[in-house]
Amino acid sequence: MEIALVTGGAQGIGSEICRQLAKQGYFVIINYLHSEQEAINLIQEIKKSNGYAEKYKCDVRNIDELKNMVSYIIKKYGKIDLLVNNAGISEHKLFQDITYEDYRNMIDSNLSSAFLLSQLVVKEMISMKRGKIINISSIWGLSGASMEVHYSVAKAGLIGLTKALAQELAPSNIQVNCVAPGAINTRMMQHFTVEELESFCENIPMGRLGTIQEVANCVTFLASEKASYLTGQVISPNGGLIL
């Protein structure tokens, strides 16, 4: 059975990624930090559907905790076949109001975590001569967003990480790809009013927010054999907002 590690997997897009990977036959390791009950509920849901999953608490901003998590998985299961770097935060703030602490937390949560965890996991994948890494970026990593400059910087960095690492790891049969969702109906959209969301949707050619299922569909495609010749690519489910 193939082993998948999904960071930030207990809720939102991450939880749907875990559900769909489990349905594909992956044994899913659900990484979480604060959402323990959500992780427990998700495991129960997956098991009811005859899937396999377990949870692991880890602050992805902490290199020692990342090392411990990878060591635990390798010791228990012998490998990590798929890494989905999904953990992240968002913040809506004027550029001049972003503090150094805000900036560092954003970069550490969204970008450095993926860089460091990929580095740890790649060591094991190279020895197997196979593996997949999927980074969850954002449409704002492609185009930038007003009032979300530090978020855009971090998500753009994930795209750069994807492209560079894909070239380096392709000879080892390791694929690195990226999903860059547009406006998705998750908790991250809760700081917008109903009127703001309606106005925003008017600018989306498909006229609506995306769903977590639609994002997870892209991830499970990249995790499948159907995507065996794809690496270094950015798939952006965004309803036509950016073409």
Side-chain angles (χ1 to χ4, degrees), residues 49-145:
S49 299
N50 298 316
Y52 299 91
E54 77 165 276
K55 61 183 175 67
Y56 191 99
K57 182 178 181 179
C58 169
D59 185 344
V60 296
R61 298 167 297 183
N62 186 306
I63 182 61
D64 291 327
E65 291 192 27
L66 290 175
K67 289 178 179 178
N68 290 338
M69 178 169 64
V70 172
S71 295
Y72 168 82
I73 297 170
I74 297 300
K75 183 176 180 179
K76 186 170 183 179
Y77 300 104
K79 60 177 182 172
I80 297 174
D81 299 285
L82 168 65
L83 168 63
V84 181
N85 286 308
N86 169 75
I89 60 172
S90 67
E91 188 175 42
H92 201 63
K93 214 169 189 180
L94 283 170
F95 179 64
Q96 59 265 36
D97 293 335
I98 297 170
T99 66
Y100 178 73
E101 290 72 22
D102 292 334
Y103 173 78
R104 281 288 359 144
N105 190 36
M106 184 66 68
I107 297 298
D108 289 344
S109 299
N110 292 33
L111 178 56
S112 298
S113 60
F115 182 99
L116 296 171
L117 185 53
S118 296
Q119 197 171 47
L120 293 169
V121 170
V122 157
K123 293 178 182 179
E124 304 299 331
M125 289 182 172
I126 288 176
S127 67
M128 298 191 300
K129 289 293 182 181
R130 61 182 178 83
K132 297 176 188 289
I133 298 173
I134 302 172
N135 296 316
I136 308 301
S137 180
S138 166
I139 192 174
W140 308 133
L142 291 166
S143 70

Side-chain angles (χ1 to χ4, degrees), residues 185-198:
N185 191 12
T186 66
R187 292 181 184 178
M188 286 188 177
M189 302 299 291
Q190 289 180 351
H191 61 270
F192 294 106
T193 66
V194 173
E195 291 76 19
E196 287 172 334
L197 288 175
E198 289 177 349

Side-chain angles (χ1 to χ4, degrees), residues 4 29 39 43 78 83 106 110-112 115 146 159-160 178 180 182 217 231-232:
I29 312 296
I43 291 170
L83 168 63
M106 184 66 68
N110 292 33
L111 178 56
S112 298
F115 182 99
S146 173
I159 293 171
C178 183
N217 288 343
T231 197

